[in-house]
Amino acid sequence: MNSEFRIQNSEFNTDWLTAQAIASPDKLALVATRPHRSRRPVRSNLAYRQLNALVDGVCGRLASLHLARGSLVAAHLPSSAEYVALVHALARMGLVLAPLNTRLTSAELGAQLNHVRPALLIYDEAEPTSIPSHWEKMEAVGQTLTLQKLMALPPAPFAPAPMDLERLQSIVFTSGSSGAPKGVQITFGNLFWNAIASAARLGVMPDDRWLSVLPLFHVGGLTVIFRSCIFGTAMALHPKFDVDAVLRSLDEDAITLVSLVPTMLGRLMELRAQVPSSLRLILLGGAAASEELLAEAARRGWPVAPTYGLTEATSQVATMPPDEAARKPGSVGKPLFGAQVRILDALGEPSPNGEIGEIAVRGPTVMRGYFDNAEATAKAICQNELRTGDMGYVDAEGDLFVLQRRSDLIVTGGENVYPAEVERALRSHPKVKDALVVGLPDAEWGQRVAALVVADGITAEELLAHVRATLAGYKLPRVVRFAPALPLLANGKLDRAGARAMLLDLNEKSGFANLSVLL
């Protein structure tokens, strides 16, 4: 956490879960859903005293491994009650979590493990892809242990670590949507202020239940664990996004809040017209939501709160409440409590309202830095201000509009093309379900605009004729390719690198002239 936001005397005797177990022992803490051989998933409910007892048991078993405080523990696990308990146990023991993406290849996992060099790797023996012997070049790991064997160890006495807000809680790898993943160092202070800022914008009710379908290796999933614990509310955890299971949970579990990415919301609305009565807010982030999706959600009464955040800022930075989102589609609202947002030009100077530039964030949720990467840290954080690499602008009312990452900007013939603008034009055609725009290498123009489109019953020529009315000539896609679905990353974000690779691969095989259209 940035030193200017340091709280004096930030060391406390107990961690947040212990405090809640004392204050509200019988209040619901966790509803964990897990798959079952039958079609109906199994749910287990844990009160705060029960979750605290489970965590104490995990702490005793970790203590038997004699890990030094501050040691890093990597976890390659599906979301579960045991994983939540492990997260709390590592916090209580003064150990640092490194949650690993369960959808990575063996080579990618080996590279991340060699980078952070954990003292312990915990994996799930029930998941075939979780077996370390299948992972490539995993050299810098101390011990490896399955979660099942960890839970079977005889517990040993342990002394809890004081809750210090300056202490490192986790190293969370970025999604890699804009380059190689980097390990973001998140402190307990980052998590504390994230919870305070989120609650100040969204509100907290005593009976809140936050449905979490984002994986726990994603900062949006991890923060819900601590956010719920700090305020003594409940978390409903699903192992993955399954549209039927989510709809069932919304109907049966009295869910009041849920975190989703746009693709998830779209799939839910395909199957359900009306919002469940208990649901008061949908925190929608991870990727830009189309105006069409937001308009349809507003028409149906789904309480969508568009949000902007990133791992380096411990999730949320700005959020627009649902009652304002319909008035200003495309905006993610104003910065949260404690956060400051500036728009910077190419020289790093503040830009006037309405002008596009790089989004810079200052506040107590900004990461400590990238793990063992001083060069990337120095580039990202300048005078305690995070240079996000995202492009956007702030309007006269102070509301933020996010376009896309700077690395996604297309420069063709010296002109800047913002993919979000082209995607919006493509999606405005009634037969287009979704679109993703990237830049491809071009010997003459530097880059050419290329589009991957999900649509029914339309030709590329018809689509281009439609967007000519709203796009300047240099913004028109020179390549249009139709696909059944857009490629996604594990966290639900659009995979622009994957789309670019698909189009380049097609070029190598058959040449651009054999794609749907080449102008």
Side-chain angles (χ1 to χ4, degrees):
M1 184 171 68
N2 296 336
S3 58
E4 65 183 275
F5 299 103
R6 177 175 297 182
I7 299 178
Q8 298 300 315
N9 302 318
S10 62
E11 190 172 287
F12 304 97
N13 289 328
T14 59
D15 59 77
W16 298 323
L17 178 59
T18 298
Q20 282 299 344
I22 294 171
S24 307
D26 297 318
K27 193 173 182 184
L28 184 65
L30 179 65
V31 180
T33 299
R34 68 179 188 275
H36 194 262
R37 286 186 297 273
S38 67
R39 292 188 62 185
R40 190 174 183 86
V42 175
R43 289 196 296 272
S44 56
N45 296 352
L46 294 176
Y48 272 101
R49 60 178 173 80
Q50 294 171 314
L51 179 58
N52 191 58
L54 178 61
V55 170
D56 266 345
V58 178
C59 286
R61 289 162 176 83
L62 287 169
S64 69
L65 300 175
H66 306 292
L67 300 173
R69 278 192 180 171
S71 295
L72 196 144
V73 176
H76 188 272
L77 301 166
S79 297
S80 64
E82 291 78 13
Y83 198 170
V84 172
L86 176 65
V87 172
H88 282 298
L90 295 177
R92 186 168 293 177
M93 295 292 290
L95 302 170
V96 180
L97 169 70
L100 298 175
N101 186 335
T102 54
R103 294 181 63 181
L104 293 183
T105 66
S106 61
E108 291 169 323
L109 288 168
Q112 291 189 2
L113 288 167
N114 289 334
H115 179 61
V116 297
R117 304 180 297 279
L120 173 65
L121 165 64
I122 300 174
Y123 63 100
D124 188 346
E125 66 183 16
E127 297 290 329
T129 59
S130 291
I131 302 173
S133 60
H134 294 169
W135 300 355
E136 296 178 17
K137 299 179 180 178
M138 191 187 69
E139 302 164 351
V141 177
Q143 305 179 61
T144 61
L145 197 63
T146 67
L147 179 64
Q148 293 79 5
K149 288 183 178 178
L150 173 68
M151 300 301 288
L153 291 174
F158 67 93
M163 173 52 72
D164 185 350
L165 295 185
E166 296 296 320
R167 180 156 59 88
L168 194 62
Q169 183 271 328
S170 60
I171 297 173
V172 180
F173 280 93
T174 59
S175 64
S177 58
S178 60
K182 296 183 285 290
V184 174
Q185 298 180 100
I186 294 176
T187 67
F188 285 97
N190 294 148
L191 292 161
F192 176 80
W193 284 110
N194 165 265
I196 296 298
S198 181
R201 179 60 48 87
L202 307 180
V204 178
M205 302 297 290
D207 60 349
D208 269 344
R209 294 188 186 183
W210 199 306
L211 176 57
S212 180
V213 296
L214 300 178
L216 297 185
F217 58 75
H218 185 284
V219 69
L222 186 64
T223 53
V224 175
I225 294 177
F226 293 103
R227 193 180 299 163
S228 300
C229 184
I230 288 170
F231 294 109
T233 55
M235 174 186 186
L237 180 68
H238 284 216
K240 62 179 181 179
F241 177 77
D242 178 276
V243 64
D244 293 328
V246 169
L247 288 172
R248 186 182 299 114
S249 187
L250 290 173
D251 289 335
E252 299 178 0
D253 294 331
I255 301 299
T256 59
L257 305 103
V258 61
S259 298
L260 299 173
V261 299
T263 52
M264 296 176 181
L265 177 60
R267 290 184 62 190
L268 289 175
M269 292 202 304
E270 286 177 0
L271 298 177
R272 181 68 57 84
Q274 300 300 319
V275 64
S277 59
S278 64
L279 189 65
R280 68 178 182 85
L281 188 133
I282 299 168
L283 191 66
L284 190 68
S290 69
E291 292 184 14
E292 294 78 14
L293 179 67
L294 294 174
E296 181 61 20
R299 188 185 70 80
R300 298 186 187 189
W302 289 67
V304 174
T307 189
Y308 166 67
L310 62 165
T311 308
E312 290 88 339
T314 323
S315 191
Q316 283 175 270
V317 170
T319 302
M320 177 166 276
D323 56 346
E324 299 178 27
R327 178 180 64 86
K328 193 178 288 187
S331 175
V332 293
K334 295 177 175 61
L336 268 60
F337 176 77
Q340 301 173 39
V341 170
R342 297 197 302 164
I343 305 298
L344 306 179
D345 62 20
L347 299 177
E349 297 297 324
S351 296
N353 287 344
E355 289 196 10
I356 296 171
E358 182 180 11
I359 301 169
V361 178
R362 183 188 300 269
T365 63
V366 172
M367 66 173 179
R368 178 182 292 179
Y370 295 116
F371 178 79
D372 197 22
N373 196 335
E375 181 179 354
T377 299
K379 184 177 179 180
I381 300 179
C382 181
Q383 297 181 339
N384 287 327
E385 186 174 55
L386 174 66
R387 304 293 178 86
T388 67
D390 294 331
M391 306 296 288
Y393 65 93
V394 173
D395 69 8
E397 294 181 322
D399 289 314
L400 176 64
F401 289 76
V402 182
L403 300 179
Q404 76 278 310
R405 293 197 64 84
R406 171 179 284 177
S407 58
D408 295 331
L409 179 69
I410 302 169
V411 182
T412 178
E415 299 282 359
N416 290 345
V417 177
Y418 296 96
E421 181 183 9
V422 183
E423 290 163 358
R424 186 163 52 247
L426 293 168
R427 286 194 296 260
S428 69
H429 194 287
K431 292 184 178 180
V432 173
K433 296 180 179 179
D434 213 341
L436 190 153
V437 172
V438 299
L440 298 179
D442 186 279
E444 182 178 1
W445 301 103
Q447 285 181 300
R448 68 178 70 188
V449 181
L452 199 61
V453 180
V454 181
D456 290 324
I458 186 174
T459 67
E461 289 78 8
E462 291 170 336
L463 183 55
L464 287 170
H466 172 77
V467 299
R468 281 183 196 276
T470 55
L471 292 178
Y474 68 88
K475 299 178 183 178
L476 289 172
R478 264 50 187 176
V479 174
V480 175
R481 181 73 177 180
F482 293 101
L486 299 181
L488 300 176
L489 296 168
N491 55 19
K493 292 183 181 180
L494 291 173
D495 184 2
R496 293 185 184 276
R500 188 177 293 108
M502 287 171 60
L503 291 167
L504 288 173
D505 182 57
L506 286 167
N507 178 42
E508 291 179 2
K509 291 179 178 177
S510 57
F512 281 121
N514 290 330
L515 293 180
S516 299
V517 65
L518 173 59
L519 302 181

